Amino acid sequence: MSAVPTTDTGTHEPPDYRQVQSSAEFAELRRAHRSFAFPLTLGFLLWYLVYVLLSSYAGGFMATPVLGHLNVAFVLGIAQFATTFLIAWWYSRHAAAALDPRAEALKSRLEAGA
């Protein structure tokens, strides 16, 4: 089933985005996002760089057997995938708990024209 489209042509004033951008509420939302996302991104990029450098310059270490035919390179490679999914899950939880409520409050204030 589809919803019936409204015939309201809209006489609504658009929000003053510059005012919103300069508000303390929006600054806090950006700070909450950046203080979480930037350190995690930097940490992951460093972790990936270490893996690439080890693969390039520490072949003997990376070839060290860990369990049977599994070596350090394979274990660290799988850890790269695990880290990616862990960061995505962690960010999703952070966004739901810390970012989404603030964004929803800001959106409600904008839609109310406050």
Side-chain angles (χ1 to χ4, degrees):
M1 253 185 188
S2 63
V4 177
T6 63
T7 57
D8 181 16
T9 58
T11 57
H12 310 286
E13 291 293 320
D16 183 1
Y17 292 110
R18 290 180 194 254
Q19 180 184 7
V20 172
Q21 184 180 10
S22 63
S23 72
E25 192 177 12
F26 186 74
E28 177 59 28
L29 177 62
R30 285 179 39 170
R31 188 205 60 76
H33 168 71
R34 288 178 176 177
S35 67
F36 188 87
F38 286 2
L40 268 174
T41 301
L42 179 63
F44 183 78
L45 289 174
L46 288 174
W47 159 227
Y48 180 73
L49 181 63
V50 166
Y51 176 72
V52 169
L53 290 174
L54 284 173
S55 295
S56 297
Y57 299 108
F61 169 71
M62 296 296 268
T64 304
V66 175
L67 181 65
H69 293 292
L70 300 179
N71 59 17
V72 172
F74 183 79
V75 171
L76 292 180
I78 294 299
Q80 288 284 319
F81 286 102
T83 305
T84 301
F85 288 110
L86 178 66
I87 288 172
W89 170 79
W90 194 11
Y91 179 78
S92 174
R93 286 180 46 107
H94 171 72
L99 302 178
D100 292 348
R102 290 177 181 153
E104 190 60 40
L106 185 59
K107 178 183 171 197
S108 296
R109 187 172 63 81
L110 283 174
E111 289 175 346

